[in-house]
Amino acid sequence: MARFANPPNAFLWQPEPRAVGSFARANQYAAGNLLFAGKLMQHRGSLWDLRPPTEAYEAELHGFAWLDDLAADGSARSREIAQAWLFDWIHRFGGGSGPGWQPNLAGRRLIGWISHTPFILKSVEPANSRIFFRALGRQTRYLARRWRAADPGLPSVEALTGLVYAGLALEGQEALLVHAVHDLGRECQRVLNEEGAILSRNPEELMEVFTLLVWAARTLEEAGKEPDPRHLRAMKSVAPTLRALRMGNGALARFHGGSVGEEGRLDQALADARIRAPARSDQVMGYVRLHAGPVVCVVDAGPPPRGTWAKTGHASTLGVEVSVGRRPLLGSVGPGRGFGPDWAETGRRTESHSTVIVERTSSSRFLGRGWSARRLGNRIVDGPRRVPVEQTNDLNGAWVLTAHDGYVPTHGLTHERRLFLSTAGDDLRCEDTLSSHDGAQKKLFDRTVAAAPRLGVRFSAVFHIHPDVEAQLALGRSAVALRLSNGEVWIFRQSGGTLELLDALHLDRSHLKPRPSKRIVVSTSVTSYRGQLNWGLKRAEPSGLAEGDSRTAVQRV
């Protein structure tokens, strides 16, 4: 149906590009190095001759984010590449066939094409200009009819933001703009709650939604139009939520499939939003933030996402991420979707997060890899349902007590985590307890250990160290010295278990391969219905570091 749309002949208004592209990536494209979704392919010629290695790679191609990079370069060479790739896409897929015809991808394309129209159409023949406008009209008509088919959350907001851009810019689409502005406001109300949280609990997805809302609001205002009041209220509620989910270096905490976010993207969105509300101090989107001195600690203190959003959820309940100043210290393996299906599954497990794992069993269980997993998106089928949280502050520092029941169905055990951060931010302590609270839990625990009651149930507290941190055992292998890139040393100590420092891997989309790192594992057992581990991080005194000797620092602590 979209093919029969009357094409617009001109622009009513030209919005400014808001996405910040990369000059370096533009040079890589010109050299034939095509890096998308964590995969590098070498190819010269048309982008559409490639056979994408993954669905994520294909989506990035058809989303046209690479157009921002070529426009950032702005050279004649980059313009020729952009024009060749764009008009080849219209020739191959512009009639409505191919993988790029999904509402969210069409929305992305409209935003990019409309924002960069002067860059695209410079020096092109009039015939190609008419082809370009006809393709814009087809995608606009398609989105107007099909945006509701997009998944709720980021995909639906992408589709509607594309419609807003088309309604503002294209001749003859004024009536479409009224509906698009109203629908975007209604979608904000549907996918975001009053606290500015998204049901997927993915901080990076929330940032992308916020960025699109800011773009749409500012573009409407610059064109002399008013955003929907629900749209503006959503922006005001999301800004302090995102500030609460930032680590010391400004990057986002990596939970539930989210990465740290593209550098500078959140800063630019917050600046453009002109919303100065501080970070929320209470529980937000199921996370708790402890902050004192240079230390930021974010705790996943909520149940995993369910329903439509469960296919991207991680078994990370009570996991922590810790940064010191602008340097990450503890976190997770990271989201593995850009490294293939095996890594995507590995990144979701409890052992890939800095939390407690019982007998290598994740606190949330997922569908397997068979037909049902493909059909239902590998959703969470069982996991924590109750995650109570208590917070308090005193003269010594801030306390958080939280727990989850994810191991009750499998072992009859409840995990409790009590965290303390000193007022000066130089001392972080934690008490992890696994226990059976009532008769039903004790019966299940007894069945679990029936074969060897004296051995109990083995559990471990796992801590994934950032690859930029140098870690080594100290004090007779009873502590770990963690040296940051600026030379500062923090000491990890524990009681109640046995400590190991093991090899690990760190997944980061800015690197083509997993980076080698380390993880601390502290293990003990639950016997007589209770087991406990205590651990802590404390900053070593600078005077003990003159020789770079971590053992001296440990002794001083």
PDB file of all heavy atoms in Angstrom, residues 193 195-204 206 241-242 245 256 280 282-287 300-303:
ATOM      1  N   ASN A 193       6.821   4.633  33.421  1.00  0.00           N
ATOM      2  CA  ASN A 193       5.967   4.925  34.564  1.00  0.00           C
ATOM      3  C   ASN A 193       6.255   6.330  35.101  1.00  0.00           C
ATOM      4  O   ASN A 193       7.093   7.062  34.553  1.00  0.00           O
ATOM      5  CB  ASN A 193       6.114   3.861  35.657  1.00  0.00           C
ATOM      6  CG  ASN A 193       7.515   3.816  36.248  1.00  0.00           C
ATOM      7  OD1 ASN A 193       8.293   4.774  36.159  1.00  0.00           O
ATOM      8  ND2 ASN A 193       7.848   2.700  36.869  1.00  0.00           N
ATOM      9  N   GLU A 195       7.872   7.307  37.598  1.00  0.00           N
ATOM     10  CA  GLU A 195       9.241   7.490  38.097  1.00  0.00           C
ATOM     11  C   GLU A 195      10.271   7.505  36.976  1.00  0.00           C
ATOM     12  O   GLU A 195      11.474   7.512  37.230  1.00  0.00           O
ATOM     13  CB  GLU A 195       9.596   6.380  39.092  1.00  0.00           C
ATOM     14  CG  GLU A 195       8.909   6.499  40.448  1.00  0.00           C
ATOM     15  CD  GLU A 195       7.444   6.108  40.381  1.00  0.00           C
ATOM     16  OE1 GLU A 195       7.125   5.164  39.611  1.00  0.00           O
ATOM     17  OE2 GLU A 195       6.635   6.740  41.073  1.00  0.00           O
ATOM     18  N   GLY A 196       9.824   7.475  35.735  1.00  0.00           N
ATOM     19  CA  GLY A 196      10.756   7.508  34.617  1.00  0.00           C
ATOM     20  C   GLY A 196      11.465   6.196  34.391  1.00  0.00           C
ATOM     21  O   GLY A 196      12.622   6.182  33.955  1.00  0.00           O
ATOM     22  N   ALA A 197      10.806   5.079  34.648  1.00  0.00           N
ATOM     23  CA  ALA A 197      11.401   3.756  34.481  1.00  0.00           C
ATOM     24  C   ALA A 197      10.749   3.042  33.305  1.00  0.00           C
ATOM     25  O   ALA A 197       9.579   3.248  32.997  1.00  0.00           O
ATOM     26  CB  ALA A 197      11.212   2.918  35.749  1.00  0.00           C
ATOM     27  N   ILE A 198      11.545   2.181  32.662  1.00  0.00           N
ATOM     28  CA  ILE A 198      11.054   1.377  31.552  1.00  0.00           C
ATOM     29  C   ILE A 198      10.994  -0.074  32.010  1.00  0.00           C
ATOM     30  O   ILE A 198      11.812  -0.519  32.820  1.00  0.00           O
ATOM     31  CB  ILE A 198      11.974   1.552  30.323  1.00  0.00           C
ATOM     32  CG1 ILE A 198      11.305   1.037  29.051  1.00  0.00           C
ATOM     33  CG2 ILE A 198      13.335   0.906  30.532  1.00  0.00           C
ATOM     34  CD1 ILE A 198      12.023   1.466  27.794  1.00  0.00           C
ATOM     35  N   LEU A 199      10.018  -0.814  31.511  1.00  0.00           N
ATOM     36  CA  LEU A 199       9.765  -2.154  32.038  1.00  0.00           C
ATOM     37  C   LEU A 199      10.863  -3.153  31.704  1.00  0.00           C
ATOM     38  O   LEU A 199      11.000  -4.172  32.379  1.00  0.00           O
ATOM     39  CB  LEU A 199       8.417  -2.666  31.531  1.00  0.00           C
ATOM     40  CG  LEU A 199       7.187  -1.939  32.079  1.00  0.00           C
ATOM     41  CD1 LEU A 199       5.918  -2.469  31.451  1.00  0.00           C
ATOM     42  CD2 LEU A 199       7.124  -2.078  33.598  1.00  0.00           C
ATOM     43  N   SER A 200      11.650  -2.902  30.687  1.00  0.00           N
ATOM     44  CA  SER A 200      12.768  -3.805  30.381  1.00  0.00           C
ATOM     45  C   SER A 200      13.882  -3.702  31.412  1.00  0.00           C
ATOM     46  O   SER A 200      14.747  -4.580  31.473  1.00  0.00           O
ATOM     47  CB  SER A 200      13.333  -3.491  28.997  1.00  0.00           C
ATOM     48  OG  SER A 200      13.992  -2.234  28.998  1.00  0.00           O
ATOM     49  N   ARG A 201      13.902  -2.631  32.202  1.00  0.00           N
ATOM     50  CA  ARG A 201      14.928  -2.372  33.217  1.00  0.00           C
ATOM     51  C   ARG A 201      16.319  -2.276  32.607  1.00  0.00           C
ATOM     52  O   ARG A 201      17.328  -2.483  33.280  1.00  0.00           O
ATOM     53  CB  ARG A 201      14.896  -3.429  34.329  1.00  0.00           C
ATOM     54  CG  ARG A 201      13.562  -3.496  35.084  1.00  0.00           C
ATOM     55  CD  ARG A 201      13.656  -4.285  36.371  1.00  0.00           C
ATOM     56  NE  ARG A 201      14.658  -3.690  37.227  1.00  0.00           N
ATOM     57  CZ  ARG A 201      15.597  -4.375  37.870  1.00  0.00           C
ATOM     58  NH1 ARG A 201      15.669  -5.680  37.753  1.00  0.00           N
ATOM     59  NH2 ARG A 201      16.467  -3.748  38.626  1.00  0.00           N
ATOM     60  N   ASN A 202      16.395  -1.955  31.350  1.00  0.00           N
ATOM     61  CA  ASN A 202      17.667  -1.823  30.628  1.00  0.00           C
ATOM     62  C   ASN A 202      18.066  -0.352  30.622  1.00  0.00           C
ATOM     63  O   ASN A 202      17.437   0.466  29.938  1.00  0.00           O
ATOM     64  CB  ASN A 202      17.483  -2.345  29.202  1.00  0.00           C
ATOM     65  CG  ASN A 202      18.751  -2.272  28.369  1.00  0.00           C
ATOM     66  OD1 ASN A 202      19.613  -1.431  28.592  1.00  0.00           O
ATOM     67  ND2 ASN A 202      18.861  -3.146  27.391  1.00  0.00           N
ATOM     68  N   PRO A 203      19.110   0.040  31.374  1.00  0.00           N
ATOM     69  CA  PRO A 203      19.474   1.470  31.430  1.00  0.00           C
ATOM     70  C   PRO A 203      19.820   2.056  30.067  1.00  0.00           C
ATOM     71  O   PRO A 203      19.475   3.208  29.785  1.00  0.00           O
ATOM     72  CB  PRO A 203      20.688   1.478  32.369  1.00  0.00           C
ATOM     73  CG  PRO A 203      20.507   0.273  33.236  1.00  0.00           C
ATOM     74  CD  PRO A 203      19.902  -0.760  32.328  1.00  0.00           C
ATOM     75  N   GLU A 204      20.501   1.290  29.217  1.00  0.00           N
ATOM     76  CA  GLU A 204      20.861   1.820  27.907  1.00  0.00           C
ATOM     77  C   GLU A 204      19.627   2.054  27.049  1.00  0.00           C
ATOM     78  O   GLU A 204      19.541   3.055  26.330  1.00  0.00           O
ATOM     79  CB  GLU A 204      21.825   0.874  27.196  1.00  0.00           C
ATOM     80  CG  GLU A 204      22.339   1.449  25.882  1.00  0.00           C
ATOM     81  CD  GLU A 204      23.253   0.500  25.135  1.00  0.00           C
ATOM     82  OE1 GLU A 204      23.186  -0.721  25.363  1.00  0.00           O
ATOM     83  OE2 GLU A 204      24.034   0.975  24.288  1.00  0.00           O
ATOM     84  N   LEU A 206      16.674   2.810  28.166  1.00  0.00           N
ATOM     85  CA  LEU A 206      16.045   4.016  28.702  1.00  0.00           C
ATOM     86  C   LEU A 206      16.749   5.262  28.179  1.00  0.00           C
ATOM     87  O   LEU A 206      16.103   6.260  27.833  1.00  0.00           O
ATOM     88  CB  LEU A 206      16.082   3.989  30.229  1.00  0.00           C
ATOM     89  CG  LEU A 206      15.423   5.175  30.932  1.00  0.00           C
ATOM     90  CD1 LEU A 206      13.920   5.211  30.656  1.00  0.00           C
ATOM     91  CD2 LEU A 206      15.679   5.138  32.439  1.00  0.00           C
ATOM     92  N   THR A 241      16.230   9.804  36.696  1.00  0.00           N
ATOM     93  CA  THR A 241      16.423   8.354  36.745  1.00  0.00           C
ATOM     94  C   THR A 241      17.724   7.969  36.073  1.00  0.00           C
ATOM     95  O   THR A 241      18.508   7.158  36.587  1.00  0.00           O
ATOM     96  CB  THR A 241      15.236   7.642  36.071  1.00  0.00           C
ATOM     97  OG1 THR A 241      14.050   7.927  36.801  1.00  0.00           O
ATOM     98  CG2 THR A 241      15.454   6.145  36.020  1.00  0.00           C
ATOM     99  N   LEU A 242      17.996   8.526  34.913  1.00  0.00           N
ATOM    100  CA  LEU A 242      19.250   8.230  34.210  1.00  0.00           C
ATOM    101  C   LEU A 242      20.463   8.709  35.001  1.00  0.00           C
ATOM    102  O   LEU A 242      21.499   8.038  35.031  1.00  0.00           O
ATOM    103  CB  LEU A 242      19.240   8.875  32.827  1.00  0.00           C
ATOM    104  CG  LEU A 242      18.370   8.175  31.780  1.00  0.00           C
ATOM    105  CD1 LEU A 242      18.266   9.028  30.522  1.00  0.00           C
ATOM    106  CD2 LEU A 242      18.942   6.807  31.434  1.00  0.00           C
ATOM    107  N   LEU A 245      21.479   6.181  37.451  1.00  0.00           N
ATOM    108  CA  LEU A 245      22.027   4.938  36.908  1.00  0.00           C
ATOM    109  C   LEU A 245      23.402   5.122  36.293  1.00  0.00           C
ATOM    110  O   LEU A 245      23.923   4.217  35.641  1.00  0.00           O
ATOM    111  CB  LEU A 245      21.060   4.369  35.853  1.00  0.00           C
ATOM    112  CG  LEU A 245      19.678   3.969  36.383  1.00  0.00           C
ATOM    113  CD1 LEU A 245      18.775   3.536  35.243  1.00  0.00           C
ATOM    114  CD2 LEU A 245      19.809   2.848  37.407  1.00  0.00           C
ATOM    115  N   HIS A 256      20.806  -6.031  32.497  1.00  0.00           N
ATOM    116  CA  HIS A 256      19.687  -6.478  31.677  1.00  0.00           C
ATOM    117  C   HIS A 256      19.857  -6.135  30.197  1.00  0.00           C
ATOM    118  O   HIS A 256      18.952  -5.581  29.552  1.00  0.00           O
ATOM    119  CB  HIS A 256      18.370  -5.931  32.227  1.00  0.00           C
ATOM    120  CG  HIS A 256      18.058  -6.475  33.581  1.00  0.00           C
ATOM    121  ND1 HIS A 256      17.676  -7.793  33.784  1.00  0.00           N
ATOM    122  CD2 HIS A 256      18.121  -5.912  34.820  1.00  0.00           C
ATOM    123  CE1 HIS A 256      17.500  -8.006  35.071  1.00  0.00           C
ATOM    124  NE2 HIS A 256      17.772  -6.886  35.724  1.00  0.00           N
ATOM    125  N   ARG A 280      17.936  10.697  41.343  1.00  0.00           N
ATOM    126  CA  ARG A 280      17.023  10.205  42.367  1.00  0.00           C
ATOM    127  C   ARG A 280      17.819   9.506  43.465  1.00  0.00           C
ATOM    128  O   ARG A 280      18.753   8.755  43.192  1.00  0.00           O
ATOM    129  CB  ARG A 280      16.022   9.229  41.761  1.00  0.00           C
ATOM    130  CG  ARG A 280      15.070   9.857  40.762  1.00  0.00           C
ATOM    131  CD  ARG A 280      14.045   8.844  40.291  1.00  0.00           C
ATOM    132  NE  ARG A 280      13.192   9.386  39.250  1.00  0.00           N
ATOM    133  CZ  ARG A 280      12.096  10.093  39.457  1.00  0.00           C
ATOM    134  NH1 ARG A 280      11.718  10.329  40.702  1.00  0.00           N
ATOM    135  NH2 ARG A 280      11.375  10.550  38.459  1.00  0.00           N
ATOM    136  N   ASP A 282      16.219   7.610  45.900  1.00  0.00           N
ATOM    137  CA  ASP A 282      15.519   6.405  46.343  1.00  0.00           C
ATOM    138  C   ASP A 282      15.698   5.304  45.302  1.00  0.00           C
ATOM    139  O   ASP A 282      16.429   5.456  44.320  1.00  0.00           O
ATOM    140  CB  ASP A 282      14.033   6.707  46.561  1.00  0.00           C
ATOM    141  CG  ASP A 282      13.390   7.327  45.325  1.00  0.00           C
ATOM    142  OD1 ASP A 282      14.133   7.723  44.407  1.00  0.00           O
ATOM    143  OD2 ASP A 282      12.153   7.417  45.274  1.00  0.00           O
ATOM    144  N   GLN A 283      15.022   4.181  45.522  1.00  0.00           N
ATOM    145  CA  GLN A 283      15.097   3.088  44.562  1.00  0.00           C
ATOM    146  C   GLN A 283      14.466   3.528  43.250  1.00  0.00           C
ATOM    147  O   GLN A 283      13.379   4.088  43.223  1.00  0.00           O
ATOM    148  CB  GLN A 283      14.391   1.853  45.108  1.00  0.00           C
ATOM    149  CG  GLN A 283      14.553   0.617  44.224  1.00  0.00           C
ATOM    150  CD  GLN A 283      13.836  -0.593  44.791  1.00  0.00           C
ATOM    151  OE1 GLN A 283      13.079  -0.465  45.746  1.00  0.00           O
ATOM    152  NE2 GLN A 283      14.055  -1.750  44.214  1.00  0.00           N
ATOM    153  N   VAL A 284      15.158   3.267  42.133  1.00  0.00           N
ATOM    154  CA  VAL A 284      14.682   3.712  40.844  1.00  0.00           C
ATOM    155  C   VAL A 284      14.835   2.575  39.836  1.00  0.00           C
ATOM    156  O   VAL A 284      15.907   1.990  39.701  1.00  0.00           O
ATOM    157  CB  VAL A 284      15.427   4.979  40.376  1.00  0.00           C
ATOM    158  CG1 VAL A 284      16.939   4.785  40.413  1.00  0.00           C
ATOM    159  CG2 VAL A 284      14.996   5.398  38.983  1.00  0.00           C
ATOM    160  N   MET A 285      13.747   2.245  39.176  1.00  0.00           N
ATOM    161  CA  MET A 285      13.710   1.194  38.147  1.00  0.00           C
ATOM    162  C   MET A 285      14.250  -0.135  38.678  1.00  0.00           C
ATOM    163  O   MET A 285      14.814  -0.940  37.939  1.00  0.00           O
ATOM    164  CB  MET A 285      14.498   1.636  36.902  1.00  0.00           C
ATOM    165  CG  MET A 285      14.003   0.979  35.611  1.00  0.00           C
ATOM    166  SD  MET A 285      14.570   1.837  34.119  1.00  0.00           S
ATOM    167  CE  MET A 285      16.230   1.188  33.958  1.00  0.00           C
ATOM    168  N   GLY A 286      14.102  -0.337  39.994  1.00  0.00           N
ATOM    169  CA  GLY A 286      14.591  -1.572  40.598  1.00  0.00           C
ATOM    170  C   GLY A 286      16.061  -1.539  40.951  1.00  0.00           C
ATOM    171  O   GLY A 286      16.639  -2.581  41.284  1.00  0.00           O
ATOM    172  N   TYR A 287      16.700  -0.373  40.938  1.00  0.00           N
ATOM    173  CA  TYR A 287      18.114  -0.239  41.288  1.00  0.00           C
ATOM    174  C   TYR A 287      18.266   0.680  42.500  1.00  0.00           C
ATOM    175  O   TYR A 287      17.468   1.596  42.701  1.00  0.00           O
ATOM    176  CB  TYR A 287      18.930   0.336  40.124  1.00  0.00           C
ATOM    177  CG  TYR A 287      18.874  -0.507  38.878  1.00  0.00           C
ATOM    178  CD1 TYR A 287      18.021  -0.186  37.828  1.00  0.00           C
ATOM    179  CD2 TYR A 287      19.669  -1.643  38.739  1.00  0.00           C
ATOM    180  CE1 TYR A 287      17.952  -0.956  36.687  1.00  0.00           C
ATOM    181  CE2 TYR A 287      19.612  -2.425  37.599  1.00  0.00           C
ATOM    182  CZ  TYR A 287      18.754  -2.074  36.584  1.00  0.00           C
ATOM    183  OH  TYR A 287      18.689  -2.854  35.449  1.00  0.00           O
ATOM    184  N   ASP A 300      21.438  -4.065  41.620  1.00  0.00           N
ATOM    185  CA  ASP A 300      20.210  -4.532  40.978  1.00  0.00           C
ATOM    186  C   ASP A 300      19.305  -5.100  42.060  1.00  0.00           C
ATOM    187  O   ASP A 300      19.413  -6.260  42.441  1.00  0.00           O
ATOM    188  CB  ASP A 300      20.539  -5.601  39.929  1.00  0.00           C
ATOM    189  CG  ASP A 300      19.293  -6.096  39.201  1.00  0.00           C
ATOM    190  OD1 ASP A 300      18.191  -5.611  39.494  1.00  0.00           O
ATOM    191  OD2 ASP A 300      19.429  -6.982  38.331  1.00  0.00           O
ATOM    192  N   ALA A 301      18.404  -4.278  42.565  1.00  0.00           N
ATOM    193  CA  ALA A 301      17.565  -4.652  43.704  1.00  0.00           C
ATOM    194  C   ALA A 301      16.106  -4.789  43.293  1.00  0.00           C
ATOM    195  O   ALA A 301      15.196  -4.362  44.012  1.00  0.00           O
ATOM    196  CB  ALA A 301      17.708  -3.619  44.824  1.00  0.00           C
ATOM    197  N   GLY A 302      15.882  -5.407  42.139  1.00  0.00           N
ATOM    198  CA  GLY A 302      14.523  -5.627  41.677  1.00  0.00           C
ATOM    199  C   GLY A 302      14.407  -6.965  40.975  1.00  0.00           C
ATOM    200  O   GLY A 302      15.413  -7.559  40.553  1.00  0.00           O
ATOM    201  N   PRO A 303      13.207  -7.488  40.823  1.00  0.00           N
ATOM    202  CA  PRO A 303      13.030  -8.743  40.087  1.00  0.00           C
ATOM    203  C   PRO A 303      13.344  -8.542  38.612  1.00  0.00           C
ATOM    204  O   PRO A 303      13.278  -7.415  38.106  1.00  0.00           O
ATOM    205  CB  PRO A 303      11.550  -9.080  40.307  1.00  0.00           C
ATOM    206  CG  PRO A 303      10.908  -7.782  40.641  1.00  0.00           C
ATOM    207  CD  PRO A 303      11.936  -6.958  41.341  1.00  0.00           C
TER     208      PRO A 303
END
